Amino acid sequence: MTSEYDDATTFDLTADRAAVKLSSDWGIGNAVNGGIIMSLLAQATSAVSRGADGHGDVLGLSAVFLSPGTDGGGETTTDVLRSGRSMTTAQTVLTQDDTERVRAFVTLGDIDRYAEPITLNPQPPTMPEPDACVRSSDAPPEALSQSGLLSRVDIRLDPACVGWAVGQPSGNGELRGWIRFADGREPDLHSLLLFLDAFPPVTFDLGAKGWVPTVQFSGYLHARPAPGWLQVRTRTTTVAGGLHEEDAQIWDSTGRLVAQSRQLASARF
Amino acid sequence: MTSEYDDATTFDLTADRAAVKLSSDWGIGNAVNGGIIMSLLAQATSAVSRGADGHGDVLGLSAVFLSPGTDGGGETTTDVLRSGRSMTTAQTVLTQDDTERVRAFVTLGDIDRYAEPITLNPQPPTMPEPDACVRSSDAPPEALSQSGLLSRVDIRLDPACVGWAVGQPSGNGELRGWIRFADGREPDLHSLLLFLDAFPPVTFDLGAKGWVPTVQFSGYLHARPAPGWLQVRTRTTTVAGGLHEEDAQIWDSTGRLVAQSRQLASARF
């Protein structure tokens, strides 16, 4: 039995192109979540790189979002820009009906080579256990009906940072919580790109409303995650003129920082 | 009289291409500093974008470094990927002798539109005044002779984080200090890309040695800097397996965060 995530990230590879299908099952509003698109793009890029005797594990991915992905078919095209002894650098473009959705730089390597030894690892934040947190499945029905994503990932938010859900944002600009696949699939390396972009907008904690389209995204993957819940913290320190930057960090169940990202995105107040 | 920086970032534009010249005057070892390359690339991209009735101020720039820039001529080629009402997205590639050096995604807009109002601005770190800091011009002669960059930017490091220079790194993974052009030119928007990448490697503060090639870089520019000294803080929180991430922040003389970046780079211990 395959998982919902595996179904959503399958593709049909021919040389440097992969036929893909985006699904509103992973949507927020009419747009397909950028995280599931990046996970799919990472896997297609990995397959092309391996086919060209390059590396297969994503170490870093920088993307620009050119138009919202929509329900239906699409295609990725990958150019291997450089293939060295320790790293491969590629560029992948996702199009739907000849319209570019996402363009990304992907740096690949052998993740296990870069995962050890650990010189510096930031500690995960202190937060209540998942069962003592606020469940995404308890979101208002109108929010759930607009977001297929919310029923496919199980998010548990620290109660100390969900005041915004009842009109009392903390003003700290930080969300903390847990995340995993709702159907029990364990996380793997490339699924971290989904989890980096699956939390509610951190600007909710500042009183912002509504969806916040990503302009640029940059994520680094540091190690394969151990099985179990992932801990996520998102923060923003810089908000001005309708734009903000958001940092996300993910720790696995061993307390290892396995992924981090930064994005430039809109913010509506 | 033009400044050293203006001389180093001039170009000759023809349609979507700019003939450029890289100079080892801005080098570290044999490689031309990535920051001066990004400043030059940003200006060429801005010129192409304006010529296509797009926006002219860089808001975000994500780059992959494919091979070290060397002393001599080169060419940038810019593709405008998307031109909307509020933002333009472009891709620019820098080549020398048909070899790709740097490839970048550049998001442009009207910076003054996004600079205000300020909702959240991180406070600059507390550090001694520039005259009470350690000057880059006091670096050992062998370091100065290897780095043209070090004589063109005036860096003043907080004495609390230069122990590494005498074999006593603090282990904190943080550098703080001031920066400006040595010839007195005031900072402008696109020069912030140079200043984001001009400090010594933050891994020196952890006892690492030697040069740390950048793999991926992502920088955001938030506002035009006011005249005067810029305050810089670089930090790393994640170092493993010979790779690290480095965050840089720049505040202008009014205490406004005007730029920030994150990069994935090597680390040699």
Side-chain angles (χ1 to χ4, degrees):
Chain A
M1 191 186 85
T2 64
S3 73
E4 294 174 323
Y5 171 77
D6 292 320
D7 287 343
T9 56
T10 57
F11 54 86
D12 186 10
L13 190 72
T14 307
D16 60 348
R17 289 163 188 266
V20 302
K21 190 172 178 316
L22 304 187
S23 169
S24 58
D25 289 350
W26 294 81
I28 294 184
N30 290 322
V32 178
N33 169 257
I36 194 78
I37 290 176
M38 290 191 287
S39 283
L40 172 55
L41 188 150
Q43 291 184 49
T45 306
S46 170
V48 173
S49 178
R50 285 184 203 273
D53 293 324
H55 298 84
D57 301 324
V58 171
L59 306 175
L61 184 152
S62 289
V64 282
F65 290 83
L66 298 162
S67 59
T70 55
D71 197 88
E75 183 178 66
T76 65
T77 306
T78 298
D79 292 317
V80 174
L81 303 175
R82 178 179 177 275
S83 195
R85 190 174 51 81
S86 55
M87 288 184 194
T88 301
T89 312
Q91 174 174 302
T92 299
V93 180
L94 168 68
T95 55
Q96 289 187 297
D97 296 329
D98 296 326
T99 302
E100 280 200 28
R101 300 304 193 204
V102 182
R103 185 178 279 232
F105 299 138
V106 187
T107 301
L108 306 104
D110 171 3
I111 191 81
D112 298 316
R113 172 181 163 178
Y114 293 107
E116 307 286 345
I118 299 172
T119 305
L120 208 60
N121 177 60
Q123 290 304 299
T126 302
M127 61 175 90
E129 292 301 305
D131 285 348
C133 286
V134 178
R135 293 164 192 251
S136 48
S137 55
D138 290 336
E142 62 272 23
L144 289 175
S145 70
Q146 282 182 35
S147 173
L149 180 70
L150 274 185
S151 61
R152 281 165 185 79
V153 294
D154 186 354
I155 296 174
R156 310 287 178 93
L157 290 176
D158 183 339
C161 47
V162 292
W164 49 268
V166 291
Q168 298 177 326
S170 80
N172 294 329
E174 176 171 324
L175 298 181
R176 295 179 300 275
W178 306 85
I179 200 167
R180 65 179 178 188
F181 286 113
D183 65 3
R185 186 197 193 281
E186 293 293 352
D188 64 10
L189 186 69
H190 295 154
S191 69
L192 295 174
L193 291 161
L194 164 65
F195 294 122
L196 282 168
D197 198 39
F199 259 40
V202 70
T203 47
F204 282 3
D205 193 45
L206 299 172
K209 307 281 184 189
W211 190 49
V212 290
T214 301
V215 177
Q216 291 198 200
F217 172 98
S218 188
Y220 304 149
L221 308 184
H222 297 297
R224 295 185 204 287
W229 282 102
L230 299 168
Q231 257 181 296
V232 180
R233 177 169 61 197
T234 61
R235 290 190 284 198
T236 184
T237 64
T238 309
V239 185
L243 280 178
H244 80 290
E245 62 87 23
E246 175 182 309
D247 277 14
Q249 295 167 289
I250 300 181
W251 292 264
D252 70 7
S253 58
T254 72
R256 169 77 192 264
L257 188 93
V258 290
Q260 65 187 145
S261 65
R262 177 172 286 173
Q263 61 176 277
L264 184 68
S266 300
R268 294 179 192 161
F269 289 91
Chain B
M1 191 185 85
T2 64
S3 73
E4 294 174 323
Y5 170 78
D6 292 319
D7 286 342
T9 56
T10 57
F11 54 86
D12 186 10
L13 190 72
T14 308
D16 59 349
R17 288 162 189 266
V20 303
K21 191 172 177 315
L22 305 187
S23 169
S24 57
D25 289 351
W26 294 82
I28 295 184
N30 289 322
V32 178
N33 168 258
I36 194 79
I37 290 176
M38 290 191 288
S39 283
L40 172 55
L41 189 149
Q43 291 183 48
T45 306
S46 170
V48 173
S49 177
R50 285 184 203 272
D53 293 324
H55 298 85
D57 300 324
V58 172
L59 306 175
L61 184 152
S62 290
V64 282
F65 290 82
L66 299 162
S67 60
T70 56
D71 197 271
E75 184 179 66
T76 65
T77 306
T78 298
D79 291 317
V80 174
L81 303 175
R82 179 179 175 276
S83 197
R85 190 175 50 81
S86 56
M87 289 186 193
T88 300
T89 311
Q91 173 174 302
T92 298
V93 180
L94 168 68
T95 57
Q96 289 187 297
D97 295 330
D98 295 326
T99 301
E100 280 199 26
R101 300 303 193 206
V102 182
R103 185 178 278 231
F105 298 139
V106 187
T107 301
L108 306 105
D110 171 5
I111 191 79
D112 298 317
R113 172 182 162 176
Y114 293 107
E116 306 287 346
I118 299 173
T119 305
L120 208 61
N121 177 60
Q123 290 304 301
T126 302
M127 59 176 91
E129 292 300 305
D131 285 348
C133 286
V134 177
R135 293 165 193 254
S136 49
S137 55
D138 290 336
E142 62 271 26
L144 289 175
S145 69
Q146 283 182 35
S147 174
L149 179 71
L150 274 186
S151 62
R152 281 167 185 78
V153 293
D154 186 354
I155 296 174
R156 310 287 178 95
L157 291 175
D158 184 339
C161 47
V162 293
W164 50 268
V166 291
Q168 297 178 326
S170 80
N172 294 329
E174 177 171 326
L175 299 181
R176 295 179 300 275
W178 306 85
I179 200 167
R180 65 179 178 188
F181 286 113
D183 66 3
R185 185 197 193 279
E186 293 293 353
D188 62 11
L189 186 69
H190 295 154
S191 69
L192 296 174
L193 292 162
L194 165 65
F195 293 122
L196 282 168
D197 198 38
F199 259 41
V202 71
T203 49
F204 283 4
D205 193 44
L206 298 172
K209 308 279 184 191
W211 190 49
V212 291
T214 301
V215 177
Q216 288 198 203
F217 172 98
S218 188
Y220 304 150
L221 309 184
H222 297 295
R224 295 185 204 286
W229 282 101
L230 299 168
Q231 255 181 297
V232 180
R233 177 169 61 196
T234 62
R235 290 190 285 197
T236 184
T237 65
T238 308
V239 185
L243 280 178
H244 80 290
E245 62 85 24
E246 176 182 308
D247 277 14
Q249 294 168 291
I250 299 181
W251 291 263
D252 71 7
S253 59
T254 71
R256 168 78 193 262
L257 188 93
V258 290
Q260 64 185 146
S261 65
R262 177 172 285 173
Q263 61 175 279
L264 184 68
S266 300
R268 295 177 191 163
F269 290 91

